[in-house]
Amino acid sequence: RKAVEDPLVTDIVVAHSKERGIGRRKISDEEIVQRCVFQLVNEASTILAEKIAVRASDVDVCWLYGFGFPVRRGGPLFYAD
């Protein structure tokens, strides 16, 4: 899918950022992936802490086969390790 930038939305976001003193920067694809995976890792850690799952590998299996996490990455906890 090809992204289509809406100039009106861009103007609103830039103005909002400027009002709050938030600097704009390019975010790489790798950083986006890391941010998403880190959220999965945080949730997996909570699942382990609450003893919903016994082992990290139990959580990874659920993500691999239940949610379609890329098998080559081995699950969010394996990936984070």
Side-chain angles (χ1 to χ4, degrees):
R1 178 173 163 193
K2 185 177 183 218
V4 178
E5 188 173 315
D6 183 333
L8 177 60
V9 172
T10 300
D11 292 344
I12 291 169
V13 170
V14 169
H16 187 77
S17 299
K18 188 174 183 178
E19 287 172 10
R20 285 162 179 68
I22 299 169
R24 309 278 300 154
R25 67 181 179 88
K26 178 81 172 145
I27 300 176
S28 70
D29 291 347
E30 181 62 27
E31 183 177 350
I32 292 169
V33 169
Q34 286 179 345
R35 287 181 180 200
C36 291
V37 171
F38 290 158
Q39 292 304 313
L40 298 177
V41 171
N42 286 340
E43 186 60 31
S45 298
T46 301
I47 289 168
L48 291 170
E50 292 176 354
K51 302 200 185 316
I52 295 169
V54 178
R55 295 175 299 275
S57 60
D58 297 337
V59 177
D60 281 346
V61 167
C62 290
W63 279 103
L64 290 169
Y65 299 107
F67 296 106
F69 194 86
V71 173
R72 64 183 163 77
R73 297 207 187 268
L77 292 172
F78 182 83
Y79 177 76
D81 192 31

